[in-house]
């Protein structure tokens, strides 16, 4: 099966949101949505999400699923807003509870954020298959970038989240809490053992050296050309490279607001006594 894939690129966070459609029924899944957020003012906006809403309504599609590949650290998810406008169930990998357990401690919100994943409509286990029209969506556990990362296999397409980037940009960082370079190597090898013509869709692209933005590649191209983990690179070589590279990276601009919101499945913290919602900034913790 070859699902219809429509991409929406959010240049401020270099994030790609996908609408994956079963052409026979018009039912679709949205993968890795974005809520616009201005870190200078703390204001949110739904312009990017509204473009997806307008597209789906114009095409007469029905949303079955709003899926996350992981708890993103570089953008806020628009999942609750999209569910309100379009319906569908919000799903994420079952290991999200591990990420919640870490970050409720970092932000001291254990009293208001249960670490059982109950904020999401469905927690998806490794190998679990859900339906969207005539499409089967298979969840593949791919820990390493975070312990809760998953990829979604839909027909000849796999949506890899942050596990892989385009071949000229390499692979995901592993220095967030719970990250593991060895695990990432094994996860990527799992993806790259699929048939060579399998389409791979990235969650981000950063257009290195000024090339155009692109986000679709194949298993064969990744095995041949990925600058970090092409065929023949050993786990030991990869881990050494990845850990050295991660030491040079700064934190993502939106990690503090993003993680607080995304462990809540995109819901904002409850309003305080004055009716205002607040996000916390932990000092000297990240």
């Amino acid at each position: 099966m070859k699902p219809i894939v429509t991409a929406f690129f959010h240049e401020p966070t270099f994030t790609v949101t996908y609408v994956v459609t079963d052409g026979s029924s018009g039912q679709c899944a949205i993968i890795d949505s974005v809520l616009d957020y201005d870190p200078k003012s703390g204001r949110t906006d739904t312009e990017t999400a509204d473009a997806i809403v307008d597209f789906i309504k114009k095409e007469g599609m029905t949303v079955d699923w709003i899926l996350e590949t992981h708890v993103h650290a570089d953008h806020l998810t628009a999942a609750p807003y999209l569910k309100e406008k379009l319906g569908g169930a919000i799903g994420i990998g079952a290991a999200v509870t591990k990420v919640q357990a870490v970050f409720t401690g970092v932000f001291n919100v254990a009293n208001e954020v249960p670490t059982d994943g109950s904020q999401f409509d469905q927690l998806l286990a490794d190998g679990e298959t859900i339906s969207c029209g005539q499409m089967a969506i298979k969840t593949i556990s791919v820990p390493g970038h975070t312990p809760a990362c998953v990829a979604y296999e839909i027909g000849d397409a796999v949506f890899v989240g942050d596990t892989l980037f385009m071949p000229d940009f390499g692979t995901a960082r592993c220095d967030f809490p719970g990250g593991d370079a060895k695990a990432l190597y094994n996860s990527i090898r799992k993806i790259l053992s699929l048939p060579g013509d399998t389409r791979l869709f990235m969650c981000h692209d950063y257009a290195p050296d000024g090339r155009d933005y692109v986000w679709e590649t194949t298993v064969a191209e990744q095995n041949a050309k990925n600058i970090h983990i092409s065929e023949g690179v050993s786990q030991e070589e990869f881990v050494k490279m990845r850990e050295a590279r991660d030491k040079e990276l700064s934190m993502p601009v939106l990690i503090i607001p993003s993680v607080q919101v995304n462990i809540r499945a995109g819901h904002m913290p409850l309003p305080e006594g004055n009716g205002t919602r607040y996000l916390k900034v932990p000092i000297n913790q990240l």
Side-chain angles (χ1 to χ4, degrees), residues 105-187:
V106 171
F107 294 109
N108 195 31
V109 292
N111 62 328
E112 57 185 275
V113 181
T115 58
D116 58 2
S118 57
Q119 302 85 353
F120 300 85
D121 295 316
Q122 188 155 341
L123 302 185
L124 300 165
D126 183 28
E128 182 173 353
T129 299
I130 55 178
S131 296
C132 182
Q134 298 300 310
M135 299 188 303
I137 302 176
K138 180 183 177 181
T139 302
I140 304 172
S141 177
V142 287
H145 175 56
T146 80
C149 287
V150 297
Y152 295 107
E153 183 178 5
I154 310 174
D156 73 333
V158 178
F159 300 84
V160 302
D162 285 11
T163 301
L164 278 166
F165 299 125
M166 292 299 291
D168 60 352
F169 203 77
T171 59
R173 65 193 297 167
C174 298
D175 59 330
F176 296 153
D180 186 314
K182 289 183 180 179
L184 181 64
Y185 179 90
N186 293 333
S187 294

Side-chain angles (χ1 to χ4, degrees), residues 49-122:
D50 284 333
I52 294 170
V53 172
D54 292 345
F55 169 75
I56 287 173
K57 288 184 175 180
K58 179 181 177 181
E59 297 296 321
M61 299 174 182
T62 300
V63 176
D64 286 350
W65 293 98
I66 303 168
L67 300 173
E68 306 287 352
T69 55
H70 62 294
V71 173
H72 304 276
D74 45 27
H75 70 271
L76 282 66
T77 176
Y81 178 77
L82 292 171
K83 179 178 178 178
E84 176 188 344
K85 295 294 182 180
L86 299 168
I90 300 173
I92 197 169
V96 68
T97 55
K98 297 179 181 179
V99 177
Q100 290 176 323
V102 170
F103 283 102
T104 52
V106 171
F107 294 109
N108 195 31
V109 292
N111 62 328
E112 57 185 275
V113 181
T115 58
D116 58 2
S118 57
Q119 302 85 353
F120 300 85
D121 295 316
Q122 188 155 341

Side-chain angles (χ1 to χ4, degrees), residues 231-248:
E231 207 162 22
V233 174
S234 70
Q235 184 184 73
E236 182 180 2
E237 291 171 324
F238 176 78
V239 170
K240 182 178 179 180
M241 175 282 302
R242 188 68 264 170
E243 291 180 347
R245 183 174 174 82
D246 288 348
K247 290 177 181 178
E248 300 175 354

